[in-house]
Amino acid sequence: MAGIRLPPEDSDVSQAARQVAAVDLISDDDRSIAADSWSIKSDYGSTLDDEQRQADAAEALSAATYRAASDYSSDKEEPDAETVSSMLGFQSYWDAAYADELTNFREHGHTGEVWFGPDVMENMATWTRNLCLEISQRNLPNHVDSTNCLPAGQSEKDLSCWSVLDVGTGNGLLLQELSKLGFSDLTGTDYSEAAVDLARSLAHRDGFPNIKLLVDDILDTKLDRQFQLVTDKGTLDAIGLHPDGPIKRIMYWDSVSGLVASGGLLVITSCNSTKDELRQEVEAYNQRRNGGSREADSGVEQDVMGRDATFEYIDHIRTYPTFMFGGSVGSRVATVAFLRK
């Protein structure tokens, strides 16, 4: 189910492209599917123990306008396609995958898979670094209000002042790449303890003592701080592949909004949603937040962790390899940046 970035108005082409991509994906063995796709790995089912959060998400889902990634599938007769898609959303699958990778590292020194490939990771890291510098210098797109942006006057060497969180960090290689580019306050979280153990081992071996790694579920986070930059490379994709994916995606936005500092950035890389679909999903979240704010008493303070915050589209990567399908240009990966207002 590799995502294809196609114009939203060409719905027939977009759906057909997803069908082709889905067939390509499910033709491989299960482990190859994971290796070629997503970096976070979790059942997340435990988060639904919070009945109120589930009820809120279910209510919001009834009015949602976007289509969840888990809804996209091939129209061909593939009896195990639904099973494969659901499996990738469960913790048991990813715990086993990272346990294998951890064993391979200990026995052979293997780093493991680079989710989306090294070229995408390096491209994303460099583009994100440049975007952070532009924000620091207030060189923002014309449609962006700089009122809530981070303080101006930072130079490249001041990237070390940016606090960074990578959710669903997997083996933590993205954090290593960001460290090479000048970031130093780096934290990675993952639901899978095996993934965190692997990331810690790799960071120690490769000489990155500044990277902090924690076991934490983005849908039920225990983090008590906010970050100026939050990155997501495949995490939202995997969440959408759980059988309760649509509800869990809503819960994701409620949670991640509390982790991004005001004026900070959220950068999402997806192979399962296009740039326009991610923007639509953010708009649905913003409308839900704004609707809740209007209903709330004006004298009640906002959540101190910013869960009533909204996001604004900033930019997206335009340099990923593209292909032609049905007369439209598409890409199998999308990276989109949002400013937390």
Side-chain angles (χ1 to χ4, degrees):
M1 285 171 48
I4 301 171
R5 194 158 64 234
L6 295 171
E9 62 271 14
D10 194 354
S11 58
D12 293 338
V13 173
S14 180
Q15 178 65 20
R18 284 195 181 82
Q19 292 167 356
V20 171
V23 172
D24 290 342
L25 183 62
I26 61 177
S27 65
D28 297 326
D29 60 85
D30 295 345
R31 186 55 48 78
S32 295
I33 293 171
D36 290 340
S37 304
W38 299 277
S39 64
I40 189 171
K41 34 284 122 205
S42 183
D43 179 350
Y44 298 114
S46 62
T47 61
L48 291 183
D49 292 341
D50 188 333
E51 295 179 0
Q52 185 58 52
R53 292 182 68 197
Q54 182 180 13
D56 292 343
E59 180 180 357
L61 178 62
S62 65
T65 59
Y66 66 87
R67 189 177 186 188
S70 57
D71 290 336
Y72 298 121
S73 62
S74 172
D75 60 352
K76 295 189 176 182
E77 295 298 326
E78 295 286 351
D80 62 340
E82 183 176 352
T83 300
V84 170
S85 298
S86 299
M87 177 177 58
L88 293 172
F90 284 89
Q91 179 186 356
S92 57
Y93 180 87
W94 295 105
D95 280 346
Y98 278 109
D100 287 347
E101 291 201 358
L102 185 59
T103 298
N104 286 334
F105 169 77
R106 289 170 175 170
E107 295 180 354
H108 308 290
H110 294 171
T111 298
E113 299 293 338
V114 178
W115 306 110
F116 298 105
D119 291 342
V120 168
M121 181 180 70
E122 293 169 7
N123 193 346
M124 173 193 174
T126 301
W127 179 84
T128 299
R129 186 274 308 268
N130 293 338
L131 184 60
C132 289
L133 292 175
E134 290 179 8
I135 286 182
S136 297
Q137 298 160 12
R138 304 296 178 89
N139 296 326
L140 296 174
N142 292 333
H143 67 278
V144 176
D145 182 0
S146 64
T147 303
N148 290 328
C149 291
L150 298 173
Q154 292 181 320
S155 63
E156 185 167 349
K157 62 183 177 62
D158 292 323
L159 283 173
S160 59
C161 299
W162 283 68
S163 55
V164 180
L165 172 66
D166 184 33
V167 295
T169 195
N171 55 22
L173 294 183
L174 175 60
L175 291 171
Q176 291 193 21
E177 195 67 26
L178 292 171
S179 182
K180 296 174 186 176
L181 294 173
F183 295 94
S184 61
D185 184 355
L186 297 160
T187 301
T189 61
D190 201 292
Y191 187 91
S192 172
E193 186 173 354
V196 171
D197 287 344
L198 175 61
R200 285 172 177 163
S201 298
L202 290 170
H204 177 75
R205 183 196 69 177
D206 298 336
F208 293 95
N210 56 312
I211 296 177
K212 183 179 182 180
L213 295 151
L214 304 168
V215 177
D216 188 71
D217 179 359
I218 180 59
L219 298 189
D220 190 23
T221 182
K222 300 302 188 294
L223 299 180
D224 59 358
R225 62 172 292 195
Q226 293 182 312
F227 299 81
Q228 294 162 311
L229 170 64
V230 175
T231 59
D232 172 337
K233 186 162 68 71
T235 302
L236 186 58
D237 285 345
I239 289 172
L241 292 173
H242 189 277
D244 294 325
I247 290 178
K248 290 178 180 293
R249 288 174 78 101
I250 290 176
M251 295 169 64
Y252 168 91
W253 287 103
D254 287 341
S255 181
V256 79
S257 66
L259 296 175
V260 185
S262 178
L265 284 178
L266 171 64
V267 177
I268 298 179
T269 297
S270 171
C271 70
N272 213 28
S273 298
T274 67
K275 176 258 296 183
D276 291 323
E277 287 168 340
L278 288 172
R279 293 185 66 177
Q280 291 168 9
E281 191 164 351
V282 165
E283 183 57 32
Y285 165 79
N286 288 342
Q287 291 176 1
R288 182 161 59 90
R289 290 291 89 188
N290 291 335
S293 297
R294 284 193 296 268
E295 294 174 4
D297 184 85
S298 59
V300 178
E301 289 188 9
Q302 284 189 337
D303 187 315
V304 294
M305 287 295 285
R307 288 185 172 81
D308 287 333
T310 57
F311 290 96
E312 180 178 5
Y313 165 78
I314 294 288
D315 203 358
H316 67 279
I317 290 183
R318 307 164 195 270
T319 57
Y320 287 138
T322 59
F323 62 92
M324 293 293 297
F325 187 92
S328 297
V329 178
S331 174
R332 293 191 180 277
V333 181
T335 296
V336 187
F338 300 97
L339 178 75
R340 212 218 84 175
K341 300 165 66 177

